[in-house]
Amino acid sequence: MHDDDEPVGRVLGRRQALILLGAAGVTLSAAGSATASATTTAGTPEVCALDCVVKPEQMEGPYFVDERLNRSDIRSEPATGQLVPGTALAINFTVQQIRQQQCTPLPKAMVDIWQCDAYGLYSDIPSQGSSGRRFLRGYQNTDQAGSARFTTILPGWYTGRTLHIHIKIRTVGTNGRPYEFTSQLYFTPEFGAAYLRTDPYRRKGPADTTNSRDSIYRSGGSQMLLRPTQAGTGYTADFAIGLDLSNTQVGRPD
């Protein structure tokens, strides 16, 4: 088993989220919906469609490095500008705050993503011989609509873990103190198996761990699925997430 993430929190299920928000006030989309939307009618609360509503507790693992690398396209090695090999994936995040049964965009939140390359290696990890390199790491601040966009590659795999991409959202809780939500994004087994048969991924073969056998995925991973669609020679995926910033105990920095 590869030394990796140990879950210390949980993601709310659809039923729990409806209880939290009030079933009459908020409508949740199925995981993996193409977009997040919000509509308001006179005399009723705002209705939002979210891929995932979370109770903000953290899981990070040993491979997070706080590089503070502000960039949207994380595919390159900053020192050389060289792109890592792999199929391009654009991820469009929408981050919203849930408060008093309403959803509002969350601007100025710091969204970090990091992942392994097509061969299962992370940058800037001494044990992997990648010290000083910073490929496949970066952050963006959400805009006034709560949006943050990244260009990366479809991830490879390593022993004991299913295919995944890490995400950390940093903002300020309702008590004025730093707040973090850290989790992971996954892919359906069918999608993962298909792209692992293409170059450069097929050189390593099929992953040794599926979603159903991954201990981290089994703790809420089905609610953190990306559903990429073809876009030219690459893929694009949207993911909308709602944060309850009032739960500052579990939102403490990792």
Side-chain angles (χ1 to χ4, degrees):
M1 178 68 73
H2 201 291
D3 178 25
D4 197 9
D5 315 70
E6 180 178 352
V8 295
R10 66 188 179 91
V11 178
L12 288 184
R14 182 181 179 90
R15 181 179 177 185
Q16 294 168 303
L18 288 171
I19 294 171
L20 170 67
L21 298 171
V26 175
T27 299
L28 300 181
S29 68
S33 65
T35 60
S37 62
T39 58
T40 304
T41 57
T44 63
E46 191 174 66
V47 175
C48 60
L50 299 171
D51 291 284
C52 181
V53 176
V54 303
K55 182 173 183 178
E57 299 171 334
Q58 301 83 36
M59 41 186 155
E60 182 177 279
Y63 299 133
F64 175 65
V65 183
D66 201 1
E67 306 281 9
R68 301 282 171 158
L69 193 58
N70 187 348
R71 59 179 183 166
S72 178
D73 191 334
I74 69 170
R75 294 176 296 171
S76 66
E77 170 54 47
T80 64
Q82 184 175 0
L83 298 180
V84 296
T87 301
L89 171 66
I91 308 178
N92 307 306
F93 291 103
T94 300
V95 183
Q96 298 190 9
Q97 178 180 0
I98 300 169
R99 182 168 54 185
Q100 296 178 348
Q101 299 184 3
Q102 295 187 24
C103 295
T104 57
L106 183 62
K108 299 181 180 179
M110 183 179 183
V111 181
D112 264 286
I113 67 170
W114 68 101
Q115 65 177 85
C116 68
D117 66 9
Y119 311 109
L121 298 178
Y122 286 84
S123 66
D124 213 3
I125 302 299
S127 63
Q128 297 191 358
S130 57
S131 295
R133 303 180 67 187
R134 297 191 291 172
F135 58 83
L136 298 178
R137 297 182 183 275
Y139 82 88
Q140 288 283 281
N141 292 318
T142 55
D143 61 20
Q144 290 301 308
S147 300
R149 299 174 177 85
F150 293 90
T151 301
T152 183
I153 64 167
L154 295 172
W157 64 274
Y158 48 95
T159 301
R161 287 305 319 278
T162 192
L163 300 164
H164 65 282
I165 295 174
H166 297 265
I167 177 175
K168 180 189 290 287
I169 302 173
R170 287 180 274 193
T171 184
V172 178
T174 55
N175 66 351
R177 296 178 181 176
Y179 172 102
E180 292 186 9
F181 167 71
T182 307
S183 192
Q184 299 174 36
L185 302 169
Y186 301 91
F187 303 86
T188 64
E190 297 78 15
F191 181 79
Y195 83 73
L196 289 179
R197 291 193 294 267
T198 67
D199 286 328
Y201 306 94
R202 66 179 178 180
R203 301 176 195 177
K204 193 172 180 181
D208 72 353
T209 303
T210 60
N211 288 354
S212 62
R213 296 180 61 190
D214 187 292
S215 61
I216 309 302
Y217 177 88
R218 290 200 301 265
S219 181
S222 62
Q223 299 170 61
M224 302 298 290
L225 283 171
L226 291 176
R227 298 183 183 274
T229 57
Q230 190 87 41
T233 59
Y235 292 86
T236 185
D238 298 336
F239 196 83
I241 191 164
L243 302 178
D244 176 8
L245 301 183
S246 66
N247 196 332
T248 53
Q249 180 178 359
V250 293
R252 290 178 299 179
D254 297 344

